Amino acid sequence: DTAVSQTPKYLVTQMGNDKSIKCEQNLGHDTMYWYKQDSKKFLKIMFSYNNKELIINETVPNRFSPKSPDKAHLNLHINSLELGDSAVYFCASSQEASLPYNEQFFGPGTRLTVL
Amino acid sequence: GQNIDQPTEMTATEGAIVQINCTYQTSGFNGLFWYQQHAGEAPTFLSYNVLDGLEEKGRFSSFLSRSKGYSYLLLKELQMKDSASYLCAAMDSNYQLIWGAGTKLIIKP
């Protein structure tokens, strides 16, 4: 049983295209996240989302948008893909965003390559 | 600004002990996390410290000094499977995790 799953695992696409990455968690968690990990291995938070609040990292271009059909899913939609968007994107979830002890469970990652 | 510093790479010998240091600067503080990330895989949780002192969990221990903005992860009896990147992350006052770039640990026989 996979706790946090993402699809696809690999995504290769052309500049200018629009793509989506799906994420699902079966842990019953209230909060989900999207991270970008670039070639330098920094994990950068893009969004955190629960039923009440979407927190956006202000450095994230508005070409990126999270979409949550329900508490167990948080999909990432990207418009007009650019070369610099190439990275590994991780989805994660945790019980509650506003608790200090807030272990995050990560999905396997989606390696996006923009040509 | 908010910042996490940790060494880029460390090398150690199988069976030995290694200490990975991390210094942090955040707006407010709600705890310090260590995660392990094997190449091509997702990060997995190792430890959480919010009070000063040492937390021991098997072969891994984590230490925190809030006054110094400093933490370390101590790995004992190193095994080849411990070869991975170790990510330090501090939680700020908004409960957001600020991540370091990770320390790549290479274990040699």
Side-chain angles (χ1 to χ4, degrees):
Chain A
D1 290 340
T2 304
V4 183
S5 59
Q6 292 178 231
T7 54
K9 190 166 176 63
Y10 299 95
L11 182 56
V12 181
T13 188
Q14 301 289 327
M15 262 197 319
N17 284 349
D18 302 339
K19 290 293 178 185
S20 292
I21 305 172
K22 295 184 177 181
C23 178
E24 177 181 1
Q25 55 96 2
N26 62 8
L27 297 167
H29 286 168
D30 290 326
T31 306
M32 296 183 73
Y33 311 82
W34 275 106
Y35 286 92
K36 178 181 180 181
Q37 188 171 42
D38 59 25
S39 57
K40 295 182 179 178
K41 303 303 181 187
F42 273 106
L43 267 172
K44 296 180 183 176
I45 182 74
M46 301 178 72
F47 307 99
S48 64
Y49 186 85
N50 62 22
N51 286 334
K52 307 162 193 170
E53 190 176 10
L54 172 66
I55 300 173
I56 302 171
N57 184 328
E58 64 273 12
T59 66
V60 174
N62 58 15
R63 298 182 294 104
F64 291 80
S65 57
K67 298 190 189 305
S68 180
D70 55 58
K71 197 173 84 164
H73 297 83
L74 184 66
N75 303 325
L76 182 65
H77 190 74
I78 315 169
N79 289 327
S80 304
L81 277 157
E82 300 178 357
L83 293 176
D85 297 334
S86 295
V88 180
Y89 292 83
F90 285 102
C91 176
S93 72
S94 67
Q95 274 190 315
E96 172 58 58
S98 59
L99 288 175
Y101 176 61
N102 193 17
E103 177 185 348
Q104 294 184 14
F105 294 80
F106 284 78
T110 296
R111 182 173 295 276
L112 171 65
T113 303
V114 182
L115 302 175
Chain B
Q2 307 199 98
N3 192 49
I4 305 286
D5 283 318
Q6 54 181 130
T8 304
E9 187 174 296
M10 298 181 71
T11 302
T13 305
E14 192 177 13
I17 299 174
V18 71
Q19 177 175 312
I20 303 174
N21 296 324
C22 169
T23 58
Y24 63 89
Q25 287 180 302
T26 53
S27 302
F29 180 72
N30 276 304
L32 193 292
F33 292 77
W34 284 96
Y35 279 75
Q36 180 190 60
Q37 186 176 23
H38 285 100
E41 297 183 9
T44 55
F45 171 82
L46 285 178
S47 68
Y48 171 74
N49 294 67
V50 68
L51 299 176
D52 289 350
L54 189 68
E55 295 275 347
E56 297 186 72
K57 192 188 291 186
R59 294 189 298 114
F60 292 8
S61 303
S62 55
F63 172 83
L64 176 68
S65 169
R66 288 173 297 172
S67 62
K68 295 181 179 177
Y70 167 70
S71 173
Y72 67 73
L73 181 69
L74 190 71
L75 292 77
K76 301 176 185 175
E77 301 169 17
L78 285 168
Q79 302 175 9
M80 297 303 294
K81 67 178 182 179
D82 297 330
S83 292
S85 286
Y86 291 86
L87 306 175
C88 174
M91 181 171 277
D92 68 12
S93 57
N94 293 320
Y95 302 102
Q96 293 291 325
L97 280 179
I98 312 301
W99 294 82
T103 299
K104 183 178 180 181
L105 178 62
I106 300 168
I107 309 296
K108 294 185 174 179

